[in-house]
Each structure stands twice: as structure tokens, then as C-alpha cells.
């Protein structure tokens, strides 16, 4: 499945919605209310036209009406967010219930389906009014999960442009459900932490505000450690890039003449490929860890061991003439450096901006998972082609387990 820049942007926004929606509730609610207002106004006009209640609607007029409704709901949500969340849930429940009842009971009249939907949406509205923050969490987690997995569910955005649709698989649906559940869990824990920190002395919990969001960007980090503070297993981390980009790269590039050696390479090819992407994830997770806990020079020096791959590159180019190496190797070599250097710079910026360790490591891991392989492969091959397969899963597991594992060992050590 190929991806374009619009797909990547949708996925990044989806991650923000799914896992961090509650931390940016007021701002996201305004954006969501605006989009909801446009979508609902357009849907109502579509229903009016299809039911022949209105013969025709001018396109310009329809756009103006949709934008006006979106702006009105966005403005109202600034002061009446609880009411807006409840109204949105009621309307969405009403529409979804009518569709489900209509499909399940094909002989039922529209009036009966509407009454059933009205009762269900009324119950949902009452529950939402009581627990509107959790309703917002569910809403953003589900919308975000769909955005994250939209390529696997519906096909890429080029299908919308050119008028075709690529259906998703059962795995894509299950992955979307799992992502939504994970988003609900993460946001619920964030909400609980925010509610606990917002308790006054004997007072009830205060409403969510920008101050609670700003708290993760305020304050100062603990003093970064220097290279002299590296323990044994942290120093041994340099083996990872050497094996990944040096030894494994060398084995994949040499010209073998021995039949026994050729059989060895062939029989271990799949294992070495899996080990390579897993160790690449470990390398990236190590970069995240050193950025968070040590001075910038430590993470910079750790990254330099990646350049052992250039020894392999020079060995490969040695069998060609100088002009061929310049014309066919330099650009690709530079892209391979930048695909690790740019995320390192992004990690440094995130480390300066976010001052909550949990939010910091989660954000960095999400950036790394999105970057590798989607954007990194685009830099090298000029196209997006991301699949949820064993190779990518092993890379992502390596990133997350290494980053969190090293942080756990560091806290246990202290």
C-alpha cells in the first residue's frame, strides 16, 4: 500500500487525536466542532436533496452554509464544550442507530427506526452529559484510530482524488479497534493524572484548562548526565550499530566464491533480515534514551557508529570506477545519513519542549514509528510504501522496548 504526503499528515494528526486528545481538549474540541459542523451541515443538505425535499442547492451556497455552521459550533464550543460534546454524541448516535436499525430490520418503517434511534441517542446523551470528558476521550480515540489506519481501511487519499476505493481487510479493522482501545486507555490515564493534580485543598476538581496542558511544557529537566556517567551496558550499546550497519551489511554485500559459505548466507538470510530490522529498532530506541538522559554529545557520538555502514559502502563501490561511485552512490549515502540524523534533531527539539518524561518518551516513540519506515524510505526511494508486516513490527518493537527498557533500568539503578 503506497502512501503520499497527505496520508502521512492524516496519520500524524490521528496520533494527536487518539493518544493526546484529552491533553489538548479545548483546542481539539474547537477544531472538531468546526469539522463536525461542516460535515453535519453537508449531510443534512445531502439528505434534503436525496429525499427531494429540496430540488437543488447551489454549490457556493452549500459551502457557505457548511462553513457558517462549522464556525458557529466552533465558537459555541469555546464556552459550552460540555453541551457541544453531548449534542455531537446525540446526533452521531441518532444517525448511526438509524443506519444500523435500517440494515438489521429492513422491513421497519423510517418512523419506527427514528423513534428507536431517538431513545438510544437520548440515553447516550444523558450518559455523555454526566461523563462528557470520557465521551470526548472515546470520540477522539475512535476518530484518531480511523485516521491512523485510514490507508489500510480505505486506501490512500489518491483514491479519493481519482475516484476509486480500495477496501480494507479484517486485520485493518482489528488494528483500528486495538488502536482506539489503546487511545482510550492512554487518555483515561492522562485524565486521571490531570484530575488528581488539579485537586484543591478540600475543593472539588476544577475544570480542564490550558494550564493543565501547559504543565507538560513548563518547568525544567533534571541535569543531563555526561559521558563519564555511562555504565557498562550503556557503553556496550555501541555494538548495536556496528553489528546492524557494519557486520550485517558486510555479509550482505560481499562476493562469495565458496559454495559452503554461499549456502550459509542463503540459509541464514531470513534470520539476518529479521535480526537487522530488530537491531535497527534497538539503535533508534537507544538514540531516544541518550537524548532524554544524557548530554547532546553522547547521543551524537552514539549515532556516529552508524557511519560504519560507509565502510561497507566504500567496499561495494570499490569494484566500480570513480565516476560511477559519484553518480550512483553519493546521493543515496547522504539520504541514508539524513534519515537517522533528522529524527535525532526532532528528538532534541522535543526534549527541549516537553518536560514530562512519560509524555516525552511516548511522543518520541510515536515519531520514530511514523518516521521508520514511511518517511525514511521516502527519502531513499522517493515513494511511500508502508505495510504492517513482520519486518516493520520487529523494528517498532525494538524502538519501544529499548527506549522504555533502558529508562526502567536507569530508574532502577538510581
Amino acid at each position: 500500500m503506497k502512501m503520499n504526503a497527505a496520508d502521512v499528515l492524516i496519520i500524524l494528526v490521528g496520533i494527536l487525536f487518539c493518544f493526546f486528545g484529552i491533553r489538548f481538549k479545548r483546542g481539539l474540541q474547537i477544531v472538531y466542532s468546526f469539522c463536525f459542523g461542516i460535515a453535519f451541515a453537508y449531510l443534512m443538505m445531502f439528505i434534503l436533496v436525496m429525499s427531494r425535499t429540496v430540488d437543488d442547492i447551489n454549490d457556493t451556497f452549500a459551502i457557505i452554509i457548511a462553513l457558517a455552521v462549522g464556525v458557529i459550533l466552533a465558537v459555541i464550543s469555546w464556552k459550552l464544550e460540555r453541551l457541544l460534546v453531548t449534542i455531537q454524541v446525540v446526533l452521531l448516535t441518532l444517525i448511526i442507530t438509524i443506519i444500523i436499525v435500517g440494515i438489521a430490520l429492513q422491513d421497519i418503517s423510517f418512523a419506527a427506526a427514528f423513534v428507536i434511534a431517538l431513545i438510544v441517542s437520548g440515553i447516550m446523551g444523558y450518559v455523555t452529559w454526566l461523563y462528557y470528558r470520557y465521551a470526548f476521550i472515546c470520540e477522539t480515540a475512535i476518530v484518531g484510530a480511523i485516521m491512523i489506519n485510514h490507508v489500510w481501511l480505505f486506501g490512500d487519499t489518491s483514491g479519493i482524488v481519482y475516484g476509486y476505493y480500495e477496501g480494507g481487510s479484517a486485520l485493518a479493522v482489528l488494528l483500528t479497534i486495538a488502536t482506539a482501545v489503546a487511545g482510550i486507555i492512554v487518555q483515561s490515564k492522562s485524565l486521571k493524572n490531570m484530575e488528581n493534580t488539579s485537586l484543591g485543598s478540600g475543593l472539588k476538581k476544577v475544570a480542564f484548562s490550558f494550564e493543565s496542558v501547559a504543565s507538560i511544557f513548563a518547568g525544567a529537566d533534571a541535569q543531563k548526565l555526561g559521558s563519564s556517567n555511562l555504565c557498562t551496558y550503556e557503553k556496550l550499546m555501541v555494538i548495536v550499530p556496528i553489528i546492524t550497519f557494519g557486520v550485517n551489511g558486510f555479509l550482505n554485500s560481499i562476493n562469495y566464491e565458496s559454495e559452503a559459505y554461499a549456502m550459509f548466507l542463503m540459509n541464514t538470510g531470513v534470520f539476518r533480515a529479521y535480526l537487522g530490522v530488530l537491531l535497527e529498532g534497538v539503535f533508534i530506541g537507544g538514540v531516544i534514551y541518550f537524548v532524554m538522559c544524557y548530554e547532546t554529545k553522547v547521543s551524537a557520538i552514539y549515532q556516529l557508529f552508524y557511519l560504519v555502514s560507509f565502510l561497507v559502502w566504500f567496499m561495494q563501490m570499490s569494484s566500480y570506477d570513480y565516476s560511477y561511485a559519484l553518480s550512483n552512490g553519493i546521493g543515496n549515502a547522504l539520504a541514508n545519513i539524513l534519515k537517522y540524523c533528522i529524527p535525532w534533531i526532532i528528538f532534541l527539539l522535543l526534549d527541549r519542549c516537553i518536560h514530562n518524561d512519560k509524555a516525552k518518551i511516548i511522543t518520541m516513540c510515536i515519531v520514530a514509528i511514523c518516521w521508520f519506515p514511511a518517511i525514511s524510505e521516502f527519502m531513499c526511494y522517493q515513494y511511500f510504501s508502508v505495510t504492517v508486516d513482520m519486518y516493520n513490527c520487529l523494528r517498532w518493537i525494538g524502538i519501544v522496548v529499548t527506549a522504555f527498557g533502558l529508562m526502567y533500568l536507569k530508574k532502577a539503578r538510581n
Side-chain angles (χ1 to χ4, degrees):
M1 181 69 70
K2 293 184 178 180
M3 297 176 64
N4 53 40
D7 293 318
V8 175
L9 179 61
I10 291 172
I11 291 173
L12 293 176
V13 174
I15 291 171
L16 177 65
F17 268 80
C18 188
F19 296 100
F20 302 98
I22 194 63
R23 291 191 174 275
F24 304 92
K25 183 163 69 71
R26 181 65 65 84
L28 285 183
Q29 182 58 50
I30 292 173
V31 174
Y32 187 79
S33 296
F34 176 74
C35 296
F36 180 88
I38 292 176
F40 186 76
Y42 179 82
L43 179 62
M44 289 297 101
M45 287 185 284
F46 179 79
I47 292 174
L48 289 174
V49 172
M50 294 301 293
S51 63
R52 301 296 178 88
T53 304
V54 176
D55 292 332
D56 192 17
I57 298 178
N58 180 270
D59 290 341
T60 304
F61 178 76
I63 293 173
I64 293 173
I65 292 296
L67 290 175
V69 173
V71 171
I72 291 170
L73 289 184
V75 172
I76 293 175
S77 69
W78 178 260
K79 291 294 183 181
L80 303 173
E81 60 176 315
R82 185 174 191 171
L83 177 62
L84 258 294
V85 171
T86 304
I87 291 173
Q88 289 166 6
V89 170
V90 168
L91 293 176
L92 284 174
T93 305
L94 184 68
I95 294 171
I96 292 171
T97 306
I98 289 175
I99 294 172
I100 292 174
V101 172
I103 294 174
L105 305 172
Q106 297 181 4
D107 296 330
I108 194 172
S109 65
F110 179 80
F114 183 80
V115 171
I116 294 173
L118 201 61
I119 294 171
V120 174
S121 61
I123 295 171
M124 286 296 297
Y126 177 73
V127 174
T128 301
W129 180 262
L130 295 177
Y131 306 101
Y132 80 101
R133 290 187 179 90
Y134 288 96
F136 177 82
I137 287 174
C138 293
E139 196 174 46
T140 52
I142 293 171
V143 171
I146 293 172
M147 294 174 71
I148 292 170
N149 299 287
H150 76 281
V151 173
W152 299 276
L153 285 170
F154 311 115
D156 57 44
T157 52
S158 61
I160 298 174
V161 176
Y162 295 105
Y164 65 84
Y165 166 76
E166 294 179 327
S169 63
L171 179 61
V173 175
L174 292 175
L175 184 62
T176 302
I177 295 172
T179 305
V181 171
I184 292 171
I185 294 172
V186 171
Q187 289 197 63
S188 297
K189 289 183 178 180
S190 297
L191 175 61
K192 182 177 290 187
N193 291 335
M194 288 189 292
E195 288 178 338
N196 290 337
T197 56
S198 63
L199 288 173
S201 54
L203 299 178
K204 64 179 182 179
K205 295 177 182 179
V206 300
F208 181 85
S209 65
F210 281 119
E211 285 74 19
S212 58
V213 175
S215 63
I216 66 172
F217 298 101
D221 288 320
Q223 184 68 33
K224 299 288 186 181
L225 300 175
S227 56
S228 60
N229 299 106
L230 289 167
C231 65
T232 302
Y233 68 83
E234 290 171 334
K235 293 176 181 178
L236 291 176
M237 283 291 293
V238 300
I239 297 175
V240 174
I242 293 174
I243 294 176
T244 307
F245 306 109
V247 177
N248 200 39
F250 175 77
L251 291 175
N252 291 330
S253 65
I254 60 175
N255 294 319
Y256 44 83
E257 297 180 358
S258 168
E259 184 178 348
Y261 189 63
M263 287 298 296
F264 167 77
L265 291 179
M266 184 177 68
N267 293 333
T268 60
V270 175
F271 170 76
R272 286 186 290 107
Y274 284 146
L275 180 63
V277 292
L278 178 63
L279 289 177
E280 182 189 3
V282 173
F283 169 68
I284 298 162
V287 173
I288 293 174
Y289 170 73
F290 288 124
V291 166
M292 288 185 60
C293 300
Y294 284 87
E295 295 174 348
T296 302
K297 66 179 181 181
V298 176
S299 59
I301 293 172
Y302 176 65
Q303 272 205 106
L304 289 178
F305 287 94
Y306 161 73
L307 299 181
V308 71
S309 62
F310 274 82
L311 296 176
V312 178
W313 176 76
F314 281 123
M315 183 191 68
Q316 290 175 317
M317 290 297 106
S318 64
S319 58
Y320 302 98
D321 57 54
Y322 183 73
S323 61
Y324 179 87
L326 287 178
S327 61
N328 294 278
I330 296 297
N332 185 57
L334 181 61
N336 276 284
I337 292 177
L338 291 177
K339 79 176 185 180
Y340 293 105
C341 184
I342 292 176
W344 171 62
I345 294 172
I346 295 174
F347 296 152
L348 291 174
L349 293 174
L350 291 173
D351 183 62
R352 299 294 186 273
C353 296
I354 303 175
H355 300 279
N356 178 288
D357 283 344
K358 289 183 179 179
K360 186 185 297 185
I361 193 170
I362 289 172
T363 304
M364 289 183 182
C365 286
I366 290 173
V367 169
I369 289 172
C370 292
W371 188 277
F372 300 97
I375 302 175
S376 62
E377 287 195 355
F378 177 77
M379 292 182 65
C380 295
Y381 308 113
Q382 286 72 55
Y383 68 87
F384 287 109
S385 180
V386 181
T387 56
V388 180
D389 55 17
M390 181 62 73
Y391 290 99
N392 288 330
C393 287
L394 284 174
R395 182 187 286 110
W396 297 334
I397 289 171
I399 292 171
V400 175
V401 171
T402 302
F404 280 88
L406 289 174
M407 287 296 294
Y408 174 80
L409 289 175
K410 179 179 179 295
K411 290 183 179 180
R413 192 179 70 197
N414 295 336

